[in-house]
Amino acid sequence: MTKFSPNALCFGEELPASGAPCFVQVEGHGLTITFERDGGEGAQEMVPFPAFSVSAGGLDHDHLVLKWGEAERARTLYLKNPHLIRAFRDAAPDHLSQPFEQAAERVRQVRHRHRVMWGTVGGAIAAVALALWFGADLLVEMAVSRIPVEWEQKLGEAAYRDFLSHQEVIKEGPAVKAVEEITQRLAEQVPNNPYKFQVTVVKSDVVNAFALPGGYVVVFTGLMKKAESGEEVAGVLGHELNHVLQRHGLERIVKNMGVMAVVAIIVGDQQGLIGLMRQVGVELLTLKFDRAQETEADLTGLQLVYRAKIDPAGMITFFQKLSEKDDGRLEWLSTHPMSSARAERLKVELAALPKRSPEPFTFEWTTVQSSLGVQPVAAP
Ligand SMILES: [Zn+2]
């Protein structure tokens, strides 16, 4: 059996989050796409030219992006190989040629810019590798900034669906309404937000919440039962949404992948990216953020809560509560080593902000809690 050597990457609903490596052949009437299976050839799909829409995309818009199919059968194919792109152009019918030529012109321009860059910035790789030793964080940020939000969302969404398919999801009722209102209040305060936050309430006694790249958030009912107000939940959500906004997940992944992967992303190398995408799918749900990222999410989370006119005292009391020893299962602690120092830091930060009067939520927290089965505390 000959070794399968993919020349393109395909995304779609029932394909892996990291994209399916595939081998594309241009035929007289369309494309034959062969998917990889166990290192050899797997399923084949024949797509006629009229089914495609064409654009430029990927890093630097130097990929040719072909889309076809609808709803859950929708597919997106990223082509970068110049021979393949040329063959597609030669074989594609006239109706594709106009958008195609525009896309191809963009690709040519980007290629030209790259050549110019390589000519003038000789030794860039060596510089990058050297700088990694001295300024790793900056380079990680650079690499992350080159990953399109669209790719990030695909990855996050796939991991999110995968996770939720094994969980008992609460679809409606006071708890869902409350979480939606809190998220809405916070999201409104994010200028030029590229993410559409989606929050799901999952029935579980685990005291936890987490956010995946792309804006997909899970809150467990255990955390909502533990919280004594909507403001306390808002504190946790403010923190989690900022992990998304600061792209902490991608930073961790890029960091874990090492020097060559970072270089590959910065120079737009497709093989490097395929490697990245493959690893991301696996790592998303087990990500641990570092201390600097946690502090950043705490502080930006507090500011977000404050701007949303939600009483920030809730965030601090909840963090304090989580730092106290408890016989319950406090999973937020396993990913968020909670120390009273953390709450203290937030207190100092809050004291520096001008006082403003908070606006209450429209829901009653007692209603939310009783919908989750929390017994009301009897009046003395
Ligand atoms: Zn965190």
Side-chain angles (χ1 to χ4, degrees):
M1 193 174 69
T2 51
K3 196 182 171 302
F4 185 80
S5 48
N7 59 1
L9 197 58
C10 191
F11 290 90
E13 186 137 314
E14 66 267 48
L15 299 176
S18 46
C22 53
F23 183 74
V24 175
Q25 274 171 297
V26 180
E27 319 269 2
H29 47 294
L31 299 186
T32 303
I33 301 151
T34 311
F35 291 92
E36 183 183 7
R37 186 191 295 148
D38 306 328
E41 289 185 7
Q44 250 188 8
E45 195 169 334
M46 171 66 219
V47 187
F49 285 121
F52 288 116
S53 69
V54 180
S55 61
L59 287 176
D60 286 332
H61 295 275
D62 64 347
H63 291 52
L64 210 69
V65 183
L66 304 176
K67 293 188 185 202
W68 72 98
E70 277 174 4
E72 67 271 18
R73 291 287 304 154
R75 292 267 199 269
T76 307
L77 190 67
Y78 284 80
L79 302 183
K80 194 182 184 185
N81 182 316
H83 301 295
L84 195 57
I85 290 175
R86 198 171 311 124
F88 182 91
R89 187 175 57 203
D90 292 345
D94 289 349
H95 87 274
L96 281 179
S97 69
Q98 210 200 356
F100 178 80
E101 286 304 331
Q102 284 165 359
E105 180 53 32
R106 263 187 108 171
V107 169
R108 276 195 293 275
Q109 283 170 3
V110 170
R111 288 255 156 79
H112 180 68
R113 273 212 310 275
H114 273 175
R115 274 198 296 277
V116 171
M117 183 191 89
W118 282 112
T120 51
V121 196
I125 293 283
V128 163
L130 250 182
L132 267 176
W133 289 102
F134 300 108
D137 286 350
L138 186 69
L139 273 157
V140 166
E141 260 173 50
M142 233 173 110
V144 165
S145 73
R146 301 195 61 154
I147 300 171
V149 168
E150 191 194 0
W151 288 38
E152 189 185 359
Q153 281 167 334
K154 278 206 169 80
L155 294 166
E157 191 186 359
Y160 187 60
R161 283 206 198 142
D162 192 44
F163 175 79
L164 291 180
S165 66
H166 309 111
Q167 303 295 325
E168 191 178 338
V169 170
I170 300 203
K171 294 211 169 72
E172 56 195 2
V176 173
K177 282 220 172 72
V179 165
E180 280 173 357
E181 181 176 330
I182 295 168
T183 308
Q184 167 96 17
R185 285 270 298 267
L186 294 170
E188 277 168 3
Q189 298 305 317
V190 180
N192 306 317
N193 183 5
Y195 302 102
K196 196 180 169 305
F197 293 125
Q198 277 190 46
V199 185
T200 302
V201 178
V202 165
K203 188 168 180 203
S204 163
D205 284 337
V206 167
V207 180
N208 206 359
F210 67 86
L212 290 165
Y216 304 94
V217 184
V218 171
V219 182
F220 294 97
T221 49
L223 184 130
M224 298 186 76
K225 286 181 183 175
K226 183 94 185 157
E228 277 167 51
S229 67
E231 283 77 5
E232 292 195 348
V233 175
V236 169
L237 281 176
H239 173 102
E240 292 299 333
L241 295 187
N242 273 290
H243 279 314
V244 174
L245 293 167
Q246 322 290 337
R247 305 185 98 182
H248 285 161
L250 290 185
E251 279 178 16
R252 289 305 310 162
I253 287 157
V254 169
K255 235 176 210 173
N256 292 351
M257 281 169 35
V259 176
M260 284 325 290
V262 174
V263 171
I265 294 164
I266 291 174
V267 302
D269 164 60
Q270 196 188 9
Q271 288 307 313
L273 266 173
I274 291 174
L276 166 78
M277 294 319 201
R278 279 195 174 147
Q279 290 193 32
V280 167
V282 183
E283 289 188 20
L284 278 182
L285 288 169
T286 54
L287 271 185
K288 280 205 167 63
F289 300 118
D290 65 29
R291 191 174 285 238
Q293 290 176 321
E294 290 304 342
T295 305
E296 188 181 23
D298 276 357
L299 297 182
T300 50
L302 180 76
Q303 283 156 12
L304 187 58
V305 165
Y306 175 85
R307 285 205 305 279
K309 297 190 182 151
I310 298 168
D311 189 353
M315 183 172 188
I316 294 169
T317 55
F318 200 44
F319 279 28
Q320 257 163 352
K321 200 181 308 170
L322 291 175
S323 76
E324 287 156 14
K325 262 232 162 304
D326 194 286
D327 52 0
R329 300 174 60 203
L330 296 179
E331 266 73 6
W332 211 62
L333 292 178
S334 65
T335 44
H336 292 87
M338 190 60 63
S339 62
S340 45
R342 229 171 123 185
E344 289 305 318
R345 172 99 196 247
L346 289 177
K347 266 190 205 163
V348 171
E349 197 68 20
L350 181 59
L353 294 169
K355 281 250 175 301
R356 72 197 293 186
S357 44
E359 283 172 16
F361 292 114
T362 62
F363 53 80
E364 288 294 337
W365 191 245
T366 49
T367 312
V368 173
Q369 286 219 307
S370 60
S371 81
L372 297 173
V374 176
Q375 303 294 326
V377 180

